[in-house]
Amino acid sequence: MSVVVVIGGQWGDEGKGRIVDLLARKARVVARYSAGNNAGHTIINELGEFKLHLIPAGIFHEDKTSVIGNGVAVDPEILLGELDQLQSRGIDTSRLVLSERAQVIMPWHRELDRLDEAHRGGAAIGTTGRGVGPCFVDKVARRGIRVADLVRSEALAERVDEVLDIQNRIITGVYGGDPLDAADIKDAYGRFGKQLFRFVGDAQAVVLDAHLRGEVVLLEGAQGSLLDLDHGTYPFVTSSVPSSSSSGAALGVGIGPTDISRVIGVFKSYCTRVGNGPFPTELFDATAERLRDHGKEFGRGEYGTTTGRPRRIGWLDAVAAQHTARVNGLQSIALTRLDVLDGLETIKICTGYGLNGKILDRVPVLLSALESVTPVYEELPGWRTPTSDVRDFDALPQQARSFIKRVETLLGCPVDLISVGPAREQAVVVSPIL
Ligand code: IMP
Ligand code: MG
């Protein structure tokens, strides 16, 4: 029996979708447990390249069930678009189960996301603008609309009547925006509900039954721990509660914490961040350009899957990574995009934060402190030979092996899997995770 959680160790975009796609072979169920279509996963397999925001990466594997758990915020229009994209390319989507308890992103959520960001001006968070934050606010404010309501047009109409008045007052009164029309929304969302009805089910039971039958359940994280509402770089974080810590995974599909048997942290071999907020190891030089545009011609550069924004780039931050490892109780690391570092003269890892003449080994809580730290770097020699065709740890260049060993020591956790390219087979299994 095992429930395995795959979590992003940095600011998202670590390559979780790719790792889940690789591990999914051994799983029966693959479930998303948090966030919404702010997430973006790129998966490249023998069927081509896919960008998914809501549907778990397990969908490409026949006879696996894909679950969108209660912890996810679902934009029905986006979900229907993804289903279309997959169906039109011959992928069987009948094994998707959408939780009745999941929250629905409504038009006012997208509008409020936009208006609130504009209102923040220079202090904007740099959200993906998908309405995910306002949707989670309403979940907690007990004003949310759930999938169970969406797919029953009478319940939907009732809920829209209950909540739209207050939403319109906020939109017009607080932000000076234009009110939304109830009839239009009931009409459009009623149609979405009808189209999604056949996918809706008891997602919690699907996860639990598979687990009790002794099958592997993979819980696919979205974003990264440094964007976590509690443990991230608040307020420059996302709004799922808690989006990325491993106990949030149990909550987001409806199982107990003791059901989780393994927690895998996915880290890039360097760091990226989209959106605003502190990033101690951020680079602004030619190295940043080089890392960002590596593989750009194949659509593999560091540009956001959801928004297309260029990602900010920096060296691997072991102080932040240690924080992630502790917060999530990581037992295993998947290190991605090692090949992007190929050919660099030297590679740096941040092992401390300098602040006011002291060296910190922990991430400071105060935003102003985190914004003013100076990274303390350890320099390691780079390697000349390409790694993208390597499949055995021992066949990696010696400098690459030293880099990986150093990451293990700094994080106090074994690196069990390394990815050296976007294709499913471009991976080095150091030690089998499942
Ligand atoms: P929101 O989740 O759209 O509210 O955005 C809040 C912050 O999280 C912004 O900095 C976004 O860029 C970031 N963010 C949200 N989803 C992702 C993701 O999937 N990858 C990377 N960053 C993300
Ligand atoms: Mg992403």
Side-chain angles (χ1 to χ4, degrees), residues 246-283:
S246 46
S247 49
L251 178 69
V253 288
I255 56 171
T258 50
D259 291 325
I260 291 177
S261 47
R262 201 161 181 80
V263 186
I264 303 164
V266 185
F267 291 83
K268 251 179 223 181
S269 304
Y270 48 98
C271 273
T272 62
R273 175 165 200 165
V274 274
N276 303 326
F279 185 176
T281 62
E282 185 165 14
L283 293 170

Side-chain angles (χ1 to χ4, degrees), residues 11-13 38-40 125-129 133 223 227 237-239 274-276 309:
W11 281 285
D13 309 314
N38 46 354
I125 290 162
T127 73
T128 57
Q223 290 114 26
L227 287 169
V237 293
T238 190
S239 340
V274 274
N276 303 326
R309 291 178 284 181

Side-chain angles (χ1 to χ4, degrees), residues 311-368:
R311 294 180 185 142
R312 300 157 67 193
I313 310 276
W315 293 116
L316 186 72
D317 183 342
V319 181
Q322 280 162 1
H323 171 69
T324 301
R326 287 190 204 108
V327 162
N328 291 295
L330 296 186
Q331 293 153 310
S332 197
I333 290 173
L335 194 69
T336 61
R337 289 183 165 246
L338 183 74
D339 58 304
V340 175
L341 300 181
D342 290 354
L344 288 177
E345 198 79 30
T346 48
I347 293 163
K348 294 185 188 180
I349 305 179
C350 168
T351 55
Y353 291 158
L355 185 71
N356 303 329
K358 292 203 185 82
I359 308 281
L360 310 180
D361 61 1
R362 299 224 169 201
V363 181
V365 177
L366 262 188
L367 190 66
S368 55

Side-chain angles (χ1 to χ4, degrees), residues 362-420:
R362 299 224 169 201
V363 181
V365 177
L366 262 188
L367 190 66
S368 55
L370 187 54
E371 276 167 346
S372 18
V373 300
T374 315
V376 178
Y377 286 118
E378 210 170 278
E379 285 195 31
L380 284 81
W383 51 91
R384 293 258 149 237
T385 41
T387 57
S388 44
D389 292 329
V390 177
R391 300 290 175 267
D392 289 307
F393 184 75
D394 294 330
L396 285 169
Q398 173 264 318
Q399 297 88 337
R401 279 179 279 140
S402 304
F403 169 74
I404 292 156
K405 288 288 161 206
R406 190 66 191 130
V407 171
E408 284 190 334
T409 307
L410 286 166
L411 270 64
C413 191
V415 173
D416 289 330
L417 189 61
I418 301 158
S419 80
V420 290

